[in-house]
Amino acid sequence: MTDRSDGPQATRGDGKSAARGASPEPQPTTPPAKGAQGPTPRMALWFLLPALILLGAMVIYPIIFSIFRSFFDSAGDTFVGADNYTAIFTDASMLTTIRNNLIWVVIAPILVTTIGLIFAVLTERIKWATAFKLIVFMPMAVSLMASGVIFRLVYEQDPDKGVANAVITSVGDVFDSSQGYPGARPRENDAAPALENGAVVTRQPIQAGQPALLPLVGLKPDLLPADAVTAKAVTGPGVGGTVWLDFAPGGGGAVGKIDDNEKGMPGVTVEAVQQGAVKGTTTTAADGSFTFAGLPAGDYVMRLPQSNFTASFGGVSWLGPTLITPAIIGAFIWVWAGFAMVLIAAGLAAIPRDALEAARIDGATEWQVFRKITVPLLSPVLVVVFVTMIINTLKVFDLVFVIAPGSVQPQANVIALEMWRVSFGGGGNQGLGSALSIFLLVLVLPFMIINIRRFRREQQ
Amino acid sequence: MMATATVERTVANSAGAPKRGVLGRVIDRLGGGFLQALLIVVALFWLMPTLGLLIVSIRGETFNNSSGWWTAFTQPAQLTLANYSDLLATGFTSSFWNTIAITVPATLLVIGIAAMAGYAFAWIEFPGRDAVFLVVVALLVVPIQIALIPIAKLYGSLNIFGSIPGVVLFHVAFGLPFAIFLLRNFFAGIPKELLEAARMDGAGEWKIFATVVFPLAKPAIASLGIFQFLWVWNDLLVALVFADTDNQPMTKALQSQMRQFGTNVDILAPGAFLSLIIPLVLFFAFQRYFVQGMMAGSVK
């Protein structure tokens, strides 16, 4: 396992199947035999020249330039020392940006690697593994820009449009069927109930045998639930009343009176209040009527609490300031899980079956086999996937830029995006932009060193 | 090492016919149905976003504004190609051709330049070879952000800022470290007898490169090609900085529409779908090479 010389990021220890083809067991280069026909070093220069010019002028020179530029102000003519770097670590919005990158780096690589591992292990046991892998792997070919459009659609707030909220609200409705009446309100006249802090309250106290009338308006009749029937006044003893929509479709009907073609409002919570204390709670029936059973005699004010008039659960605000980063990480997982799965599956295929069988015959459970044999043998691949994902999360730009709506971008910001914003996207401060790009380079530096070390080790 | 013990076990057991453990078989039987169902759900989950985009792109604007795309399954009358014809009328086609004009040369140039460099690193001895190659390995992870400001200045003085050649050149430069790394490793695996025989025959280095090494390396070149093609085709950041409006590829054209998201889904959805159809076709046609390229060095 140690004598192979795969590349820094290539899957090591995964055996032949992973490396066959594109990276054919790369051997340490053996210099060609020296002789009359042997190529001269000058020849090498000709072969290397275009690459060296491009890399020198467009990758190496910019690194040096950026280091210098980061010590100057936005105009580029005043030396400001480390001011740009201080700004990165003191400015409040910058700190949010760094915090977001931290969330990304801590959460996304672990999730992607874990999900990739689970998929790779599970697909080993199904016949249509190739089809499954193609489906999960497909987002790799899709641009992050298009992925962003895709997830803007998925995360649309309106459950009638965004599939994420459509699923969540339909699941939610199964558990909570209560119907709100957003917008319903009493009329504005002295006979109608009053509005107090969002709750609807009768102006006069009610006694037993005196049905309370609670007419409401402001709601389209077709928004009433399907089980609503014609409103009915309560007769008989006890404290009770009717909550109904005081609106007769097609006109007619008297204000504040229960007319024949007016419907009750079912499911409204009603409280009986005496001297500020709630003495009883009930719910209206399909005809809007309600009665309080076993309430002692006395004066009661009927109150319909505010909860009746707030909208029913309208889905999660994925693209709001709180959930925006987890939402974008969700899109990131959608894009990258296939990558992790394919690399890990290749590593898995290279594990000698016999080793697993031997352990099983020795009485190891599947879980023990997985933990004690599969995962350790896979660890080189897992590390490669994990490290690649860390580098990717440090550089994440497109998904945040495209998915986060403009108003939420400050809360979703990441370093790579902030670098573009301050230098090109209206910020106009290339000194700070250079400092941010150097900061980004410093963050990937450890992985650069790991790559070089691993490569040198393998060359020996 | 862990592997040593495993190998000994392997040798000891390799004589017997491969058989599954009793427990493994039980798990397979009991869990089979559940596992299939679970993976079908996961596969649907993974397909749904792209499917949603496709359906939104072929639904009438009024339907998109009032109901979810999934209602189109029960009301196929919602489907129309009007969005696509509207999109083509907006001049989106020119950004499609810009994407082609950027991606094709950027892919071919990277292959050519990296193949030459890879050949030199693999088969020509010169002083400092290992050190120079280590620099290439180091450059694998350099973020492109580092070059945006300096190259913008450089292009300004060269008068190619905003032009297609500028965008191409940037992609070539940042594609090179991965490309050189991949091809050098592949070239190094070519049997050296082949090259020596050619050298004995008096073939020059250019001839060996063109007639012996390059043809042998077709799988690696295919891997690199598909990788670079997708990377450039799908890029947004480089285009955002270096391509002006006349030369913008599809990604940038779409991005400029994002600001009014909600009112122009009928333009965004077909645009996004058009931009991903060619990569998807290429991906399905060459997925073997794509996976191989990924295996050989996944750092982008």
Side-chain angles (χ1 to χ4, degrees), chain A residues 28-259:
Chain A
T29 29
T30 354
K34 280 181 191 148
Q37 286 92 358
T40 60
R42 180 193 292 266
M43 205 66 205
L45 188 64
W46 289 118
F47 274 91
L48 285 173
L49 203 58
L52 292 185
I53 290 175
L54 277 170
L55 287 177
M58 301 190 63
V59 184
I60 294 171
Y61 155 76
I63 295 176
I64 298 160
F65 181 96
S66 292
I67 293 174
F68 278 102
R69 186 68 183 79
S70 69
F71 293 111
F72 286 83
D73 69 348
S74 62
D77 41 36
T78 314
F79 182 80
V80 293
D83 281 8
N84 288 324
Y85 292 96
T86 331
I88 296 178
F89 296 104
T90 50
D91 184 75
S93 67
M94 286 285 197
L95 289 177
T96 311
T97 302
I98 293 174
R99 187 208 62 186
N100 284 340
N101 258 94
L102 208 66
I103 295 175
W104 271 93
V105 169
V106 169
I107 293 177
I110 288 183
L111 285 180
V112 169
T113 313
T114 312
I115 292 174
L117 176 63
I118 293 172
F119 286 0
V121 171
L122 293 186
T123 47
E124 279 219 311
R125 295 163 179 268
I126 57 168
K127 291 211 176 72
W128 48 290
T130 314
F132 181 86
K133 282 180 187 162
L134 269 183
I135 289 171
V136 177
F137 194 48
M138 188 189 67
M140 285 282 296
V142 176
S143 74
L144 296 173
M145 174 69 225
S147 306
V149 175
I150 288 174
F151 274 87
R152 275 293 276 272
L153 291 168
V154 168
Y155 288 140
E156 192 98 50
Q157 167 82 57
D158 183 350
D160 281 339
K161 294 187 198 163
V163 71
N165 275 347
V167 170
I168 285 183
T169 52
S170 59
V171 170
D173 285 350
V174 172
F175 296 104
D176 172 25
S177 59
S178 77
Q179 172 100 25
Y181 294 104
R185 60 178 199 285
R187 279 187 209 276
E188 289 173 15
N189 61 41
D190 289 343
L195 208 54
E196 277 176 17
N197 300 327
V200 173
V201 185
T202 52
R203 288 182 197 259
Q204 302 300 326
I206 308 293
Q207 287 176 339
Q210 266 184 1
L213 292 182
L214 290 147
L216 296 177
V217 292
L219 190 74
K220 283 189 194 156
D222 55 343
L223 287 180
L224 284 175
D227 61 342
V229 296
T230 305
K232 208 170 73 186
V234 175
T235 49
V239 178
T242 307
V243 181
W244 82 102
L245 187 60
D246 191 17
F247 172 81
V255 169
K257 294 242 164 58
I258 302 175
D259 295 300

Side-chain angles (χ1 to χ4, degrees), chain A residues 7-9 21-22 24 32 37 43 58 66 125 128 141 143 150 152 160-161 334 355 357 362 392 430, chain B residues 6 9 19 28 36 46 49 65 67-68 123 133 146 153 155 181 184 186 196 199 206 234 261 295 299-300:
Chain A
Q9 292 293 322
Q37 286 92 358
M43 205 66 205
M58 301 190 63
S66 292
R125 295 163 179 268
W128 48 290
S143 74
I150 288 174
R152 275 293 276 272
D160 281 339
K161 294 187 198 163
W334 180 77
E357 284 314 315
D362 288 355
N392 276 337
Q430 303 205 328
Chain B
T6 321
R9 299 291 289 279
K19 38 183 174 176
D28 279 356
Q36 302 273 346
W46 240 260
N65 286 336
S67 62
W123 291 109
F133 193 68
I146 201 97
K153 286 223 174 357
Y155 281 4
F181 177 75
R184 177 264 180 204
F186 190 93
E196 275 166 9
R199 278 176 185 153
W206 293 104
N234 290 336
F261 191 90
M295 302 288 180
V299 272
K300 282 268 171 74

